[in-house]
Amino acid sequence: MTKIKTISILGPTASGKTGLAIALAKKLGGEVVSCDSMQLYRGMDIGTATPPLEERDGVPHHLFDIIDPDTEFSAADYARVAGEAIADIHARGKLPILCGGTGMYHDSLMRLTSFEPGERDEALRDELFAFAAEHGNEALHARLAAIDPEAAEAVHPNNVKRVVRAIEIFETTGKTKTETDRMQVSGEIPYDNTPVILEFADRAFLYERIERRVDIMMEEGLEEEARWVLNYPNLSKTAYQAIGYKEFAPYFRGECTLADVAAEIKLATRHYAKRQLIWFRKSDAMRIVPDACGGGKVRTPDDMADEVISKLR
């Protein structure tokens, strides 16, 4: 089996992934495939830092703005649509370059080898969420443990969304999530992937970049975008998890100031970046240090791209 060559640009938010991916695409004849769970959603461009057309520098981008905010979307769903995009890019003689910070989505793509659509039962999901609200997260988790002990062991009771999904898989397919996962990784992975992780030497500097980015988002109209998102009919639970939107809810109710909202978004984003760093730390990948030049500056995307290319040879 001839594997498809791919490169993955991964790392925490505000680390410069998009710039590096575009620079690599221009130098290597590539196209960018989003690996971000929230940039998939239409109308959420400011809060998710979706690169505008003018910043893409003529490089084709895929899996940006492809679903509406009322659509639930899983890591398995992502693996399927990303696999289709990668196959199309490869068929046209271009290099697929994945770019994003959602480690779970990336790992699913690189692990899953069959992409049967997962069954959805919205009524069942609503019933399970209501059960957790009435009886407690532990009670719902116990239901999962009774049917799929391995899946229950792998997920915390407070991660209600994942507990619900695991129960839903069993109820709609007759197979446990554990069994389904094993079936999906039974074949050979079709990618020859080179993961590249952006890793800051000075975490405080990364946090400063995050705070500047939030300030810019506020200036660009994040408040109005958040108002639109939070009022979206049947907003999906997936979309609601995006940082930069739910933090506005108290402000819209008149319970806090805009400055309070910005502070909450900055805090939530710093915490998210920390989780991303922990997730990618376990990966055996090429490491690129954006702030290696020191002095509170970051290297140019072209400079980092040249380093990546030199290590590929």
Side-chain angles (χ1 to χ4, degrees):
M1 174 183 177
T2 301
K3 296 192 174 187
I4 299 174
K5 177 64 181 176
T6 59
I7 297 176
S8 299
I9 307 302
L10 309 166
T13 186
S15 58
K17 298 183 296 293
T18 298
L20 174 55
I22 291 172
L24 277 173
K26 297 188 71 174
K27 292 174 183 286
L28 299 177
E31 299 185 7
V32 175
V33 180
S34 174
C35 189
D36 184 290
S37 61
M38 300 304 169
Q39 290 178 342
L40 296 159
Y41 286 103
R42 301 185 186 97
M44 298 172 62
D45 294 343
I46 297 174
T48 64
T50 296
L53 288 176
E54 59 270 20
E55 290 184 12
R56 301 180 190 183
D57 207 7
V59 173
H61 281 55
H62 303 266
L63 305 193
F64 291 85
D65 301 327
I66 63 169
I67 55 177
D68 291 325
D70 59 355
T71 304
E72 296 288 352
F73 207 79
S74 69
D77 293 328
Y78 172 79
R80 175 177 52 81
V81 298
E84 293 168 355
I86 289 170
D88 172 66
I89 295 167
H90 175 71
R92 291 185 282 102
K94 300 293 185 179
L95 173 67
I97 299 176
L98 293 146
C99 177
T102 306
M104 183 182 296
Y105 277 29
H106 181 266
D107 288 359
S108 292
L109 172 64
M110 293 300 157
R111 186 180 72 243
L112 300 184
T113 57
S114 64
F115 309 114
E116 295 183 5
E119 295 293 329
R120 295 285 183 178
D121 186 330
E122 294 301 330
L124 173 61
R125 292 170 68 85
D126 289 343
E127 175 191 324
L128 293 172
F129 278 109
F131 180 88
E134 181 178 354
H135 300 286
N137 297 348
E138 293 283 354
L140 182 68
H141 190 262
R143 287 178 59 173
L144 174 60
I147 59 175
D148 190 352
E150 288 186 55
E153 181 69 23
V155 61
H156 193 280
N158 289 338
N159 195 335
V160 178
K161 179 181 173 183
R162 287 185 61 192
V163 174
V164 165
R165 180 56 182 154
I167 296 173
E168 179 188 24
I169 289 171
F170 177 75
E171 294 291 343
T172 57
T173 68
K175 299 182 180 68
T176 66
K177 181 179 185 300
T178 299
E179 183 182 0
T180 302
D181 288 347
R182 285 173 181 156
M183 291 172 61
Q184 288 179 323
V185 298
S186 59
E188 186 178 0
I189 303 301
Y191 309 116
D192 175 14
N193 185 58
T194 300
V196 179
I197 296 176
L198 298 184
E199 194 170 72
F200 273 69
D202 183 355
R203 186 175 293 187
F205 181 44
L206 172 63
Y207 291 166
E208 290 175 7
R209 286 171 58 86
I210 287 171
E211 296 198 357
R212 285 199 300 271
R213 171 180 279 190
V214 172
D215 289 337
I216 292 171
M217 289 177 174
M218 298 294 284
E219 294 169 0
E220 291 180 343
L222 181 57
E223 177 184 343
E224 287 308 307
E225 185 172 276
R227 192 182 302 274
W228 178 82
V229 169
L230 293 181
N231 287 323
Y232 199 89
N234 301 313
L235 180 66
S236 73
K237 296 179 179 67
T238 308
Y240 183 75
Q241 295 306 310
I243 297 171
Y245 301 100
K246 58 185 177 296
E247 291 81 6
F248 274 93
Y251 172 73
F252 293 147
R253 295 194 297 266
E255 298 172 0
C256 67
T257 68
L258 209 53
D260 294 329
V261 174
E264 284 298 315
I265 295 173
K266 291 174 181 178
L267 178 62
T269 308
R270 290 197 303 270
H271 287 168
Y272 177 55
K274 186 181 297 184
R275 294 195 299 273
Q276 289 174 303
L277 289 166
I278 292 171
W279 183 286
F280 292 123
R281 188 179 298 155
K282 63 185 178 183
S283 173
D284 180 17
M286 183 189 304
R287 308 280 168 167
I288 299 296
V289 184
D291 58 337
C293 53
K297 297 180 181 179
V298 291
R299 299 161 63 193
T300 66
D302 278 342
D303 179 40
M304 291 190 289
D306 288 342
E307 181 182 347
V308 172
I309 291 169
S310 71
K311 292 181 176 180
L312 291 173
R313 294 175 180 147

